[in-house]
Amino acid sequence: MTSYNKNYIEIIGAKVHNLKNVNIRIKRNSFTVFTGLSGSGKSSLAFDTLFAEGQRRYVESLSSYARQFLGKIEKPAVDHINGISPAISIEQKVNTRNPRSTVGTTTEIYDYLKLLYARIGKTYAKDSNELVKRHSHTDVLQFLGKISKDERFLILAPCGEENRSISWIKSLKIKGYSRLFYKNEIVSIEDIGIDQKTEWNKLYLLIDRFAGNEFDEDETLRLTDSIQTAFYEGHNKCSVFLYQKGSYKSFNKDFEHNGVTYIEPSLHLFSFNNPLGACPKCEGFGSVIGIDPELVIPDKGLSIYQGAVACWKGEKMSEWLDQVVLNAEKTSFPIHKSYASLSQEEKEQIWNGTDHFHGIHDFFKFLEQNSYKIQYRVMISRYRGKTPCPECEGTRLRSDTRYIKVGDRNINELVNMSISDLSAFFNRLRLSEFEENMCKRILSELRFRLDYMLDVGLGYLTVNRSSNSLSGGESQRIQLATSLGSSLVGSMYILDEPSIGLHPRDTKRLITVLRKLNKLGNTLIVVEHDEDIMDEADEIVDLG
Ligand SMILES: [Zn+2]
């Protein structure tokens, strides 16, 4: 072998496919465009020669144990290639076999969102939107420090559901307690009459009585002790009764609010690939097999009267249409308006029915109930398809995650935003200093990835978008964005027409991204026709 210049990758005598003994030198760490007519062999040179040899040498360098899993890669038809680097090809292929894979998982944006929510997500009650948290005795002390100076208050242990019996009262007597608090009055434990009418939820064990909002050291000790006793006797619950206000304030050591237990944020809870986090209905796929609205109403330009509902045709089934037409007036449903121009409420009427006519869902329920008849089974199968999961609305996560928020948004709302909106959300997000410190890294990783997605012109995608629904070009640009994120250096990136499907404005941004990848210390080989990209290249190899 002759000596060669280390600054170049040399291809000598390439004969793959229709290449005729091609000799080429490519400058390392440069940005080179391969161009030429279709059939000129530019892809044969880039992918089937350079990339194939890069891969082969990589596999050869592995241990024999690892090699047995990869199989033998044939040497491409070329005499010599010198100075080749590890090769990474970014092709226009949608290469995902995992149906749960999304834009968020491939770009790792979702991984960082999960971390963020697990770390600083706050849970809000379903009914009142109040913050759900575990209380400790310090929360009670803090509360008491803020009440009015001349207030008198009681420290109480509520009677939990598990205690609602005479034996509880007896056990309290044995422990030496002497007073209860029932319907806002103190009663001696000897005098309380327990019968059918006892309102247990208004019964408390009186632990201690206090006044004021300033406590010296001894008082603080006694108060702390009483609060802890109340939590103990109240099975993790403690209440304070304020005399002047005549009101109760309750505290809970469990992750609970108004009797509803919530799941505390954790990484698994936000993973739709994990049984804890996946929506139980669709198992984390985001869609279920059901009646596909697109098949039921294929032409939204038609009115209901004109037959927009495709399954209400034919002699027998048109009876369903007739009952709508005959009764529509009673609910002033506009049967002559095109389906597309119906309001959301009117669309719901035609699907769910009204007091005066049956809807599409009733129709399919009828078919299900009579599915022992073959014609009904056939009918159902004709309108079956993938529909967004009704339980999680396509977000793939169990519904409990909806109550956990960062900056007034839950994770489901974020994954359904476009990347541009999400980026704007994070630019606006204001956190407390504590939270900011807790997730400084997470936020910078998130912003970094969102920026790269914007740079490659994919700001319109949502994080929740399925990878297998992307076009080849979109898939390629996501790979490009993730390559930038990984900051791998000293590699040879080979790209296949990355400008395809891009708006000229986005091509400019793409060029910036390609340059960044190159500046990181990588060799860039791009098979391309676009003039803007060719103008930017350090070298052009025209295969004629
Ligand atoms: Zn679901």
Side-chain angles (χ1 to χ4, degrees):
M1 209 195 289
T2 52
S3 69
Y4 66 94
N5 188 330
K6 286 201 177 70
N7 293 324
Y8 289 90
I9 298 168
E10 287 180 336
I11 305 172
I12 299 157
K15 303 176 198 62
V16 176
H17 302 321
N18 46 354
L19 293 174
K20 294 188 179 64
N21 235 349
V22 175
N23 300 329
I24 276 175
R25 271 196 344 171
I26 300 156
K27 200 154 186 264
R28 288 175 68 114
N29 297 336
S30 72
F31 176 0
T32 305
V33 165
F34 283 12
T35 193
L37 300 171
S38 80
S40 61
K42 54 189 189 303
S43 294
S44 301
L45 193 62
F47 292 99
D48 303 323
T49 309
L50 262 179
F51 175 64
E53 180 64 6
Q55 280 280 292
R56 193 184 70 87
R57 292 209 194 161
Y58 170 68
V59 171
E60 293 281 293
S61 74
L62 297 174
S63 69
S64 57
Y65 175 76
R67 277 205 306 268
Q68 65 183 356
F69 295 102
L70 296 164
K72 194 165 164 53
I73 298 179
E74 289 301 320
K75 191 179 185 308
V78 58
D79 295 343
H80 287 297
I81 300 184
N82 298 320
I84 198 166
S85 319
I88 296 156
S89 95
I90 304 185
E91 288 174 81
Q92 302 221 2
K93 264 199 302 215
V94 183
N95 46 5
T96 175
R97 283 196 198 85
N98 181 357
R100 287 198 190 88
S101 165
T102 66
V103 168
T105 56
T106 39
T107 56
E108 294 176 337
I109 289 174
Y110 191 69
D111 297 278
Y112 286 102
L113 286 178
K114 281 195 302 198
L115 277 169
L116 183 73
Y117 274 78
R119 217 170 266 185
I120 61 161
K122 289 195 181 112
T123 306
Y124 293 89
K126 292 176 200 189
D127 44 1
S128 61
N129 217 21
E130 283 175 75
L131 187 66
V132 181
K133 64 175 278 195
R134 280 178 194 280
H135 294 115
S136 70
H137 69 274
T138 43
D139 291 294
V140 187
L141 284 174
Q142 269 173 12
F143 169 76
L144 293 172
K146 286 180 199 149
I147 62 173
S148 132
K149 247 201 334 270
D150 35 327
E151 181 67 276
R152 288 182 304 129
F153 63 89
L154 304 176
I155 302 291
L156 306 167
C159 170
E161 280 186 44
E162 62 279 16
N163 288 334
R164 295 179 178 176
S165 68
I166 293 264
S167 60
W168 182 60
I169 310 275
K170 280 186 186 152
S171 77
L172 293 178
K173 253 191 264 183
I174 294 166
K175 285 184 197 163
Y177 291 107
S178 59
R179 287 190 168 75
L180 298 172
F181 192 64
Y182 185 53
K183 294 188 175 173
N184 298 359
E185 273 176 46
I186 297 177
V187 263
S188 158
I189 208 160
E190 304 291 344
D191 298 341
I192 186 95
I194 299 293
D195 57 26
Q196 292 283 319
K197 287 184 198 150
T198 303
E199 293 178 59
W200 291 98
N201 57 345
K202 292 181 181 163
L203 182 67
Y204 297 82
L205 169 64
L206 174 60
I207 307 285
D208 213 341
R209 292 183 248 195
F210 277 88
N213 63 358
E214 279 178 49
F215 317 106
D216 63 24
E217 210 184 316
D218 282 348
E219 284 170 328
T220 308
L221 272 177
R222 189 182 121 201
L223 200 48
T224 307
D225 199 40
S226 297
I227 293 165
Q228 276 167 345
T229 309
F231 272 129
Y232 175 75
E233 295 294 352
H235 292 260
N236 281 347
K237 292 183 183 67
C238 158
S239 296
V240 173
F241 179 73
L242 302 172
Y243 267 105
Q244 274 191 2
K245 283 185 146 186
S247 69
Y248 293 86
K249 173 81 184 169
S250 42
F251 297 89
N252 198 333
K253 277 191 176 179
D254 293 326
F255 203 61
E256 207 184 273
H257 190 89
N258 281 344
V260 182
T261 308
Y262 293 83
I263 301 182
E264 279 183 279
S266 73
L267 213 47
H268 286 325
L269 183 61
F270 295 108
S271 308
F272 46 80
N273 287 325
N274 186 289
L276 179 69
C279 161
K281 177 135 182 124
C282 64
E283 295 174 353
F285 289 97
S287 57
V288 288
I289 300 295
I291 297 306
D292 185 347
E294 299 294 320
L295 296 174
V296 175
I297 303 178
D299 183 354
K300 295 183 178 55
L302 296 178
S303 70
I304 299 301
Y305 185 79
Q306 287 168 321
V309 183
C311 49
W312 288 349
K313 282 179 185 157
E315 199 185 332
K316 195 97 191 78
M317 299 307 172
S318 60
E319 286 171 13
W320 287 81
L321 176 59
D322 295 344
Q323 54 98 28
V324 174
V325 171
L326 288 173
N327 297 304
E329 216 172 297
K330 292 176 191 157
T331 47
S332 50
F333 180 86
I335 49 167
H336 294 292
K337 249 169 129 182
S338 74
Y339 182 81
S341 60
L342 293 179
S343 71
Q344 191 54 37
E345 197 188 336
E346 287 160 352
K347 282 178 186 163
E348 276 165 26
Q349 284 180 344
I350 199 69
W351 279 93
N352 299 328
T354 67
D355 290 342
H356 301 284
F357 59 78
H358 296 292
I360 298 169
H361 287 312
D362 296 319
F363 170 72
F364 281 103
K365 219 176 280 163
F366 164 80
L367 294 188
E368 296 276 357
Q369 278 159 3
N370 295 285
S371 60
Y372 60 89
K373 290 186 183 167
I374 179 108
Q375 67 268 37
Y376 290 160
R377 279 210 299 281
V378 171
M379 191 88 186
I380 295 170
S381 69
R382 212 176 279 165
Y383 295 99
R384 230 180 243 289
K386 269 192 185 171
T387 61
C389 168
E391 177 122 356
C392 63
E393 289 159 352
T395 60
R396 302 158 194 262
L397 289 174
R398 61 188 287 166
S399 56
D400 304 67
T401 55
R402 275 179 230 169
Y403 309 114
I404 304 169
K405 294 178 182 175
V406 170
D408 82 10
R409 296 289 181 135
N410 64 41
I411 197 166
N412 300 321
E413 292 172 298
L414 295 198
V415 298
N416 285 320
M417 278 184 197
S418 68
I419 300 262
S420 331
D421 289 345
L422 192 56
S423 169
F425 169 81
F426 278 109
N427 289 335
R428 274 198 316 268
L429 183 65
R430 293 286 166 268
L431 297 173
S432 70
E433 203 185 320
F434 175 73
E435 291 171 324
E436 194 79 48
N437 286 331
M438 284 274 282
C439 46
K440 207 177 267 171
R441 255 273 332 270
I442 299 173
L443 286 171
S444 75
E445 294 284 348
L446 262 173
R447 293 198 174 110
F448 183 69
R449 282 170 173 74
L450 291 170
D451 284 348
Y452 278 135
M453 286 295 280
L454 294 177
D455 284 344
V456 295
L458 293 176
Y460 60 90
L461 292 179
T462 64
V463 173
N464 203 26
R465 176 78 174 266
S466 278
S467 297
N468 55 20
S469 73
L470 296 170
S471 75
E474 287 168 337
S475 198
Q476 183 191 37
R477 274 177 275 141
I478 287 180
Q479 286 180 61
L480 192 58
T482 49
S483 305
L484 278 164
S486 73
S487 304
L488 203 62
V489 299
S491 306
M492 176 172 71
Y493 282 91
I494 306 178
L495 284 90
D496 182 18
E497 300 198 66
S499 74
I500 278 190
L502 274 187
H503 188 277
R505 179 192 63 227
D506 290 329
T507 306
K508 292 252 154 40
R509 301 183 75 171
L510 177 71
I511 290 169
T512 323
V513 172
L514 292 175
R515 264 298 171 208
K516 269 189 203 163
L517 198 57
N518 172 226
K519 289 261 167 65
L520 283 171
N522 297 297
T523 306
L524 212 59
I525 293 164
V526 180
V527 176
E528 188 57 89
H529 296 286
D530 185 89
E531 287 194 7
D532 287 334
I533 293 187
M534 284 162 66
D535 285 347
E536 181 63 27
D538 299 325
E539 272 178 88
I540 294 177
V541 175
D542 192 344
L543 286 136

